[in-house]
Structures are given as C-alpha cells and as structure tokens.
RNA sequence: GGCGGCAUAGCCAAGCGGUAAGGCAGUGGUUUGCAAAACCUCCAUUCCCCAGUUCAAAUCUGGGUGCCGCCUCCA
C-alpha cells in the first residue's frame, strides 16, 4: 500500500511496514504520568508520534491511535501528599494541563485515551489469568511476574536474564526487603499492596494498586486486541517498561504484543538528557511563552526522531528564524474556497490522505503542478524512510525558495498552497502568528498614535489630529481630550 | 560491572558504499529614502583519530579516544 519503512527496536533493523490487516493500523504509545507539568522532552515524544500517526493516515491507512494516561502511580501519590491535595484531583489537574499543552502544540488527540483508573478491574483479571497460567505468584500482598517462566524475557533490550541478574546485582542487593518476597530479583510487580490509608482498590490479594507496566498491557488488550501493529514511546521505556509489557502480554496470550516497536530519542541540554531529576528542563508552557507552536514543532522535527536533539537558546532561535521564513512563503497562498480545507488540515482533528482531492488537484494543476508533484515525491520519499522529517522539511524550504523567486503571483499562490498542505502533514499550521499582537503591544500602539496626535496638535494641524482620533474611533477606541494634559483613551 | 547508542562547518542537523541535504548565523553584492523582507554570491577537498576491505568509505571491518543513554522513576 505504501513504501513506508520503519526502524523496529525489536529487530534493530529498518523494515518494510506491513500492517497485520491490510489497510488498517493499530498504534499505541505510552502517555504521560500526570503528576507535574510536561516539559520539552515530553513535547518531543508527543510531536514525534503525532507526526507518525498523521503520516500513516496520509499514507492511506485507517489508523486507530491509542495513548493512555497514567493517573495512579507512586509519583502522583507522593506529589499529592507534598502539596496536600487529593490524589485524584492532582491527577485531574495535570491531565488537564497536559491536554492544554498538547492542544497548544497542535498535537492531535488520540482516538482512544484510556486512564489507568478506569481499567482496575480488567487489570486484576489480567493478573489472575497470569497466575492461573503459572506466570505470576502472590507474595505478601503483592503479585509478581515470574520472569523465569517467560523464555523470551530480554528480547527487546537484547539482554539475557543472566546478563540482567549479573548487571543488576548492585541495585537489587540494596532492596533487601524485596529479596524476601520475590522469587527472583528480576521479577517485577503486577500488583503492589498499599496501606488502606492510601489510594487503592480491594483486590483478591488485599488492598493495593496495579504495577505500572500492567496498565498498558491491559489497555492494549481491551482497546486494540492481543497483537497490535505499532507500539511506541520514549527510548527510556524500552527497559523495563516495554520489556515487561511484552512479558505479561505474550506470556498470557502466546501472541506477539506488537509487530513494530518505535522509540524516540531525548531532548538534551549540554549533551545531557533533559529531565526532572537533573533540573535542566523547560516546561512546555515556558517554551510556548516565547516561541510559537510551529517553532517548537520545527525545532523538534528538524532532528530525526531517533536522534537526540540538542536544546539551546541558539538552536531554538534558529528554528524560530526558519519558521518565520516558511510563514512568509505561506502568505502567498490565496485563502480561497478550494484550498481552505487543505489549509485547515494543519489544525488538529482533520487529516488528509495523499489522494484527497485537495492534494490531487494541486498536483494535477496544469500551472505549477510539476512543482507540487516534486514536493510530493520528495516529501514521501523522506517520510517513507522511517519518518525522516528533517529531509521532508528541506523539501518544504525548497518550495519556499520557489515561492519567493517566482515572478508569477498565481504560480506562487499554488506553490504556497502546496507548502501549507504538506507542512500540515507534519502538523505545522503556518498560521500567520506574525500578525497576531498581544493586548499590551496594542495599548502601546495606541499611545504612540496619541504621541503623533499630540505633535500634530502642538503644530495646530487639527486636520491631522482629528484624522488620528477618527481612525482610532473607527477601530473602537474612544479618545477623550483632557484640558492641559494627555488625552485619555478607552476601548468602546 | 552488564547492555545499547552517538561523534559531520560557528550552532542545529540530514546523508549510512559512488564522491558532503536543509535551517540558523556569517561574507560580498542587488533592491530600498533608510531599514526589514526578498533576490544573487560565497561559506566542510572533508565527516573524532589510526589501520584495513573496496575501483570507490562520512558511510563497511578492527583498534583507539571522547560523550551519552538504559540497568531505580523517567518521553
């Protein structure tokens, strides 16, 4: 159906993308744990997978995208205790800010967005089934997955159980209390007992909470089935999170959990991972205070999703300047009826496939069609190659060059429509943010106009000064002179 | 200690066997009342180092050096 190739963490190879069912793709990516504001690193992951889902749809597949929200977890409970807030309320609060951040970044919402707390019963059933099958055991109110019972353990990160035991020895030794109740140091919790004073649920093993890895396995099973096409997340989730998901799901179903595993790399600061613990993070909100969503997107997408991004003031400024150039080129587009739906594509909730009439008409256009066809070919070649967004973006800049150097306005308009449409597949809106001014700047502009008016009045040039007042009045700003002083003004 | 990854111009960053994309910054021009924007021009004989394979290597192999990630929560 398409020539898409993806790099599969499971095989460490770039493979032809062939969905399990022709024309249909199930995608799952691990969403946030809602205990704090999201930072640029989280934004990167969501933008990368947003582009992946947009491009898969663009390629003509019928995609179902599922992304979970982890709304019960030790981190949430600890944070709630710190700030003296109900656990559920804290989780809800940060779920909301996550949604706001994603909307601001033009990250389209997933088709299904399950929350862990909605899946407690199915998770318990999942654990019971694993116990029945001999892959898990209850111990001291906890339930652990018996890693030795699953022969493929370690296949995602490519490390044998022996290696893991050997390598992990130092860490595990310190957990003396766990040593008592776990059969094997590498066994991981499916269900964790908790004091009844803490948030939890009554289970066959007593009061407690589900282990983190369990929710994804359970949600995938219920939302998408036993085997999905693509499972993704940040590369730090490869081990143990995704390895453990594989163990749980495949031990229970005897079917592969996912055909392709995709992992994005990190945002770095001074060559170090941006993270909460290092304190070198920028929240999405703080970045968006200074930079437009398109700038953040271009910044993220100018690096391939599997390579680390070096964040610095200089590198973001470069993205800002690049975005400005694309924006100026996009201004050449005519906002007519025929293109309006293409242009809206940049905004979330609407997706275009490559054969949508809006795009085919651009490509088939006698005038300028050759350029759009070239853009299409370059764009698809880049994106088919494991979502090579940096290369796809260079194709966008090539069109921008043609727009600026074109002497023909109609031709430039067609190129610009193409530019906006294909940029939209990357989630770039190319919205003309350069013409949106904030209220503070607006107030200053009024003051400067009044300066000019004062100057005119001082020269007794009342024609000019009245004209300024009338102009402001027409814009809904009332000017009231004050005897011997500066005029007052207010919005009508 | 175990496992994995990365080193490409001032900065960011593609390319992964066929002779160095793109963005930003910078250079010299054109345009402009002056700017900005735009246009034209220039800007890595070379891809961390050393060997090797090959007609051909930034790309493959071996050995160094440096950096990072995971193994504990992590996008």
């Amino acid at each position: 159906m398409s020539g898409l190739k993806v790099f599969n963490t499971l095989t460490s190879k770039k493979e032809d993308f062939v969905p399990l069912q022709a024309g249909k793709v199930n995608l799952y990516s691990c969403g946030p744990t809602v205990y704090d504001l999201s930072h640029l690193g989280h934004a990167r992951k969501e933008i990368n997978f947003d582009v992946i889902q947009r491009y898969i749809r663009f390629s003509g597949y019928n995609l179902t995208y599922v992304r979970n929200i982890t709304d019960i977890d030790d981190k949430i409970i600890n944070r709630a205790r710190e700030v003296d807030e109900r656990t559920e309320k804290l989780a809800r609060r940060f779920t909301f800010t996550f949604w706001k951040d994603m909307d601001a970044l033009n990250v389209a919402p997933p088709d299904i967005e399950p929350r862990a707390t909605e899946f407690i019963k199915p998770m318990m059933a999942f654990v019971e089934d694993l116990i029945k099958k001999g892959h898990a055991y209850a111990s001291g109110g906890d339930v652990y997955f018996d890693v030795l019972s699953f022969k493929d353990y370690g296949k995602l990160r490519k490390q044998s159980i022996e290696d893991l035991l050997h390598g992990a020895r130092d860490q595990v030794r310190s957990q003396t209390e766990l040593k008592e109740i776990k059969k094997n140091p590498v066994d991981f919790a499916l269900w964790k007992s908790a004091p009844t004073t803490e948030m939890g649920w009554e289970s066959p093993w007593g009061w407690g909470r589900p282990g983190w890895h369990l929710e994804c396995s359970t949600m995938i099973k219920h939302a998408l089935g036993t085997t999905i096409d693509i499972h993704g997340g940040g590369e730090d989730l490869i081990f143990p999170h995704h390895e453990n998901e594989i163990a749980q799901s495949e031990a229970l179903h005897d079917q592969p959990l996912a055909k392709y595993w995709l992992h994005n790399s990190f945002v770095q600061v001074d060559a170090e991972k941006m993270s909460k613990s290092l304190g070198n993070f920028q929240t999405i909100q703080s970045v968006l205070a200074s930079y437009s969503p398109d700038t953040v997107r271009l910044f993220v997408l100018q690096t391939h999703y599997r390579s680390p991004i070096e964040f610095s003031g200089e590198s973001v400024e470069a993205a800002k300047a690049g975005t400005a150039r694309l924006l100026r080129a996009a201004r050449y587009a005519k906002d007519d009826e025929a293109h309006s739906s293409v242009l809206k594509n940049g905004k979330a909730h609407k997706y275009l496939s490559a054969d949508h009439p809006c795009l085919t008409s651009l490509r088939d256009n006698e005038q300028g069609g050759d350029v759009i066809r070239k853009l299409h070919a370059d764009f698809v070649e880049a994106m088919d190659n494991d979502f090579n967004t940096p290369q796809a973006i260079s194709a966008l800049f090539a069109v921008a060059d043609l727009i600026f150097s074109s002497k023909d306005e109609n031709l430039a308009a067609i190129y610009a429509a193409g530019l906006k449409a294909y940029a939209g597949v990357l989630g770039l809106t190319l919205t003309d943010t350069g013409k949106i001014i904030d209220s503070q700047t607006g107030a200053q502009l009024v003051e400067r106009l009044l300066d000019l008016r004062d100057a005119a009045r001082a020269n007794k040039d009342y024609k000019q000064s009245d004209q300024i007042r009338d102009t402001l009045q027409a814009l809904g700003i009332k000017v009231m002179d004050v005897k011997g002083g500066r005029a007052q003004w207010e919005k009508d």
Side-chain angles (χ1 to χ4, degrees), chain A residues 6 11 18 24 32 116-117 136 185 187 192 195 211 233 272 293 321 324 416 426 452 462:
Chain A
V6 299
T11 58
V18 182
K24 196 176 172 333
T117 51
D187 289 352
K192 296 189 281 191
E272 273 190 326
L426 300 179
L452 292 174
Y462 297 112

Side-chain angles (χ1 to χ4, degrees), chain A residues 291-365:
Chain A
Y291 298 97
S292 74
D294 276 352
T295 293
V296 177
R297 266 209 184 235
L298 196 77
F299 172 74
V300 166
L301 298 176
Q302 272 193 312
T303 303
H304 184 85
Y305 77 92
R306 283 189 291 110
S307 300
I309 299 180
E310 183 61 33
F311 174 87
S312 68
E314 203 179 352
S315 61
V316 189
E317 281 297 322
K320 180 182 175 179
T323 306
R325 180 171 168 83
L326 290 179
L327 212 53
R328 278 181 222 114
R331 273 182 202 153
Y332 283 76
K334 288 181 186 144
D335 196 13
D336 64 12
E337 195 61 30
H339 292 142
S340 61
S341 64
V342 176
L343 304 185
K344 278 189 195 124
N345 172 49
K347 257 303 177 193
H349 319 304
K350 282 199 112 183
Y351 307 102
L352 284 187
S353 70
D355 57 6
H356 190 282
C358 292
L359 292 181
T360 53
S361 69
L362 276 172
R363 273 180 260 136
D364 294 342
N365 210 320

Side-chain angles (χ1 to χ4, degrees), chain A residues 367-377 398-399 402 411 415:
Chain A
Q367 238 204 333
D370 51 341
V371 166
I372 307 300
R373 284 195 295 277
K374 170 89 162 59
L375 168 62
H376 178 84
V399 172
L402 292 174
L411 218 47
Y415 297 165

Side-chain angles (χ1 to χ4, degrees), chain A residues 58 98 112 158 183 185 241 251 254 287 350 361 390-391:
Chain A
F58 175 83
F98 174 73
I112 303 172
K158 284 146 209 86
K183 289 208 301 207
H241 186 54
D254 297 309
V287 175
K350 282 199 112 183
S361 69
Q391 215 165 64

